[in-house]
Amino acid sequence: MADARDINVPDTAAQAAAVEELQDVQGEKMVLNMGPSHPSTHGVLRIVLELDGEIITKAVPDIGYLHRGDEKIAENMTYTQFIPYTDRLDYLAPLANNVAYALAVEKLLGIHDQLPPRCQYLRVVCCELARISSHLLGVGCFAMDVGALTVFLLTFTEREKIYNLAESLSGARFTTSYTRIGGVSRDTPPGWCAAVRQFLNEVVVNIAEVETLLTRNKIWVDRTRDVGVISKADAIDYGLTGPNLRGSGVNYDLRKDQPYLCYKDLQFDVPLGEVGDCYDRYLVRMEEMRQSVRLIHQCLDKIPGGFDNAAKEPVNVADGKIVLPPKNKVLSSMEELIHQFMLVTQGMNVPPGEIYFGHENPKGELGFYIHSRGGGTPYRLKIRSPSFVNLSILSHLLPGHMMSDTTAILGSFDFVMGECDR
């Protein structure tokens, strides 16, 4: 048997000298806080970056600076009272947030297949206007992050027109609270559909102008192409949705794969990327805006009742225990007055059960899980916010890139911290 002294024992002193020499070659790494007040983090996102020179070796996203407890608030409110809180999730697309939440509650009530056709078309118009609005700001901020200020001014001009349309429809420009459980708060005002048609004709010119400024711009291409590449496998593994998923070439869109409202009756294409880099995510959003324009044109052509609803098509389900009765009936009928009183004070009587509904929001899949034990308030409500899930890949994606690439990658993700820190 060999003597124990014959076994090669590592020289700890030699090891320490080798490690020290390696550290001297590599240099000291620096820890840098990016955010939570950095303009390129699009809100109160903090990323703790470990840098070797200008190369990122480690990235740790740190969220929670804006936490508001929306999910817990929902448990102490009626289902209708929570609608304004959905505006504040992705506050760049409040019209779409309202629809997503209303569809979830309607699924729990079992009335999601009973929505009047005019209501469905109106909701789709609202969702696609919200998509255009969100993508306009997303592309504008993305371009501004890497130095193209003119694009931001162009896109913001068009968003202002969408705010004008939202104001004439709902009475509010920003936090609209337009959708109701079982329908919408009111029908379109006179001339609104014609104004939407005029906007569509104008925004396509703006989209083309933005593409002229960016798509073949050498600086833009150099800053975005082959930067922040996400493979199909990684995009799926990290649960990415929306343009960030489709930018990696994954053909998944809830409007096609799990159609709701009247999307099954409309024609549109799902744009896909090839490489999965920042440039592809930009191209996907640009084409999605064109497809949204196409969808809204179809809705305006097919909307039941016509532009100003001369046929008086309903926009709410005919159920006085879910939708507030008309004011003239409340003032003339005791039954209607009782229904209104019960709805306002106690909320609608939702049956016990659990549901999840996913909606194709501009940022990705906005999902609502609702657990009801009966009555007018949810027992539990959880929100699957796309921005929160999409940011989970940052710690995997950023290492290996240069510090200057961080702003381009974050801009290409188009996230909103309002729904991350819900």
Side-chain angles (χ1 to χ4, degrees):
M1 182 175 179
D3 192 281
R5 289 169 296 183
D6 296 333
I7 299 173
N8 291 326
V9 179
D11 186 345
T12 54
Q15 276 188 333
V19 170
E20 186 177 355
E21 182 181 358
L22 182 62
Q23 288 176 342
D24 289 338
V25 172
Q26 290 179 335
E28 288 188 16
K29 292 181 180 177
M30 179 174 65
V31 175
L32 180 69
N33 280 296
M34 183 174 180
S37 58
H38 192 286
S40 293
T41 58
H42 298 206
V44 284
L45 170 66
R46 174 180 174 232
I47 307 177
V48 182
L49 298 173
E50 184 185 83
L51 301 173
D52 182 6
E54 289 194 37
I55 304 297
I56 299 169
T57 57
K58 185 178 179 181
V60 180
D62 185 9
I63 65 171
Y65 291 89
L66 193 67
H67 188 61
R68 296 167 295 172
D70 283 348
E71 295 163 333
K72 206 65 184 174
I73 289 172
E75 297 169 16
N76 298 284
M77 289 186 156
T78 67
Y79 289 93
T80 299
Q81 286 174 335
F82 188 65
I83 291 175
Y85 284 82
T86 64
D87 288 327
R88 278 89 176 162
L89 295 173
D90 175 8
Y91 43 76
L92 303 178
L95 286 166
N97 300 341
N98 295 163
V99 172
Y101 171 68
L103 284 169
V105 179
E106 287 157 4
K107 184 177 179 180
L108 188 58
L109 286 165
I111 63 169
H112 56 290
D113 295 328
Q114 303 171 22
L115 295 172
R118 184 174 179 87
C119 167
Q120 295 188 39
Y121 278 88
L122 275 178
R123 285 186 176 186
V124 170
V125 170
C126 289
C127 288
E128 298 308 318
L129 282 175
R131 195 178 316 279
I132 295 171
S133 175
S134 180
H135 285 353
L136 282 172
L137 186 64
V139 171
C141 288
F142 183 15
M144 186 169 62
D145 286 345
V146 295
L149 181 60
T150 304
V151 174
F152 178 81
L153 300 177
L154 286 172
T155 57
F156 217 84
T157 299
E158 296 305 307
R159 288 187 77 247
E160 192 67 20
K161 298 174 185 176
I162 296 177
Y163 284 155
N164 292 337
L165 293 171
E167 183 179 21
S168 61
L169 178 66
S170 67
R173 297 173 64 82
F174 200 56
T175 46
T176 54
S177 301
Y178 174 63
T179 308
R180 294 291 182 272
I181 313 301
V184 292
S185 61
R186 60 180 67 84
D187 201 354
T188 57
W192 189 80
C193 292
V196 172
R197 182 87 80 180
Q198 181 181 348
F199 163 74
L200 298 178
N201 295 331
E202 293 172 358
V203 76
V204 291
V205 177
N206 183 281
I207 293 170
E209 191 168 359
V210 169
E211 283 192 326
T212 302
L213 288 170
L214 289 181
T215 303
R216 290 177 177 80
N217 184 304
K218 179 171 174 52
I219 299 174
W220 174 258
V221 171
D222 289 346
R223 290 295 305 274
T224 58
R225 185 167 285 175
D226 297 325
V227 173
V229 177
I230 304 173
S231 67
K232 284 186 179 182
D234 283 345
I236 295 170
D237 288 346
Y238 280 87
L240 303 190
T241 52
N244 296 323
L245 175 68
R246 294 188 286 273
S248 295
V250 181
N251 190 356
Y252 181 73
D253 189 312
L254 289 169
R255 297 171 295 173
K256 286 275 192 184
D257 298 302
Q258 300 174 28
Y260 49 89
L261 297 175
C262 60
Y263 277 111
K264 61 183 181 298
D265 302 322
L266 304 174
Q267 300 296 318
F268 66 101
D269 299 319
V270 178
L272 302 175
E274 296 178 354
V275 180
D277 55 8
C278 295
Y279 189 71
D280 272 352
R281 292 190 279 276
Y282 151 74
L283 291 176
V284 165
R285 288 190 176 89
M286 295 301 290
E287 182 57 30
E288 279 195 4
M289 285 192 282
R290 286 201 168 94
Q291 293 301 320
S292 291
V293 169
R294 180 183 173 191
L295 281 166
I296 299 173
H297 273 305
Q298 293 176 67
C299 288
L300 296 178
D301 291 338
K302 298 180 178 181
I303 188 168
F307 274 17
D308 295 326
N309 198 10
K312 302 298 180 184
E313 290 283 334
V315 293
N316 291 295
V317 294
D319 190 336
K321 294 184 179 180
I322 295 175
V323 178
L324 286 174
K327 185 63 70 176
N328 60 339
K329 290 186 177 180
V330 172
L331 297 175
S332 59
S333 168
M334 178 57 70
E335 290 77 10
E336 303 290 355
L337 178 61
I338 292 172
H339 281 158
Q340 170 162 307
F341 179 80
M342 297 294 286
L343 281 174
V344 171
T345 57
Q346 299 179 20
M348 61 198 74
N349 187 24
V350 177
E354 297 179 59
I355 63 97
Y356 173 83
F357 179 79
H359 181 270
E360 190 64 47
N361 245 41
K363 304 282 189 290
E365 180 179 345
L366 173 63
F368 287 91
Y369 162 80
I370 304 175
H371 180 187
S372 168
R373 291 190 173 179
T377 60
Y379 175 68
R380 289 287 184 268
L381 185 144
K382 294 293 290 182
I383 303 169
R384 184 211 185 273
S385 51
S387 293
F388 174 77
V389 180
N390 289 343
L391 286 178
S392 66
I393 200 173
L394 285 183
S395 57
H396 170 75
L397 182 63
L398 289 178
H401 289 87
M402 298 190 72
M403 174 62 197
S404 58
D405 292 330
T406 308
T407 54
I409 293 171
L410 292 178
S412 74
F413 267 68
D414 186 24
F415 57 90
V416 164
M417 294 308 296
E419 65 178 6
C420 289
D421 297 341
R422 61 207 175 282

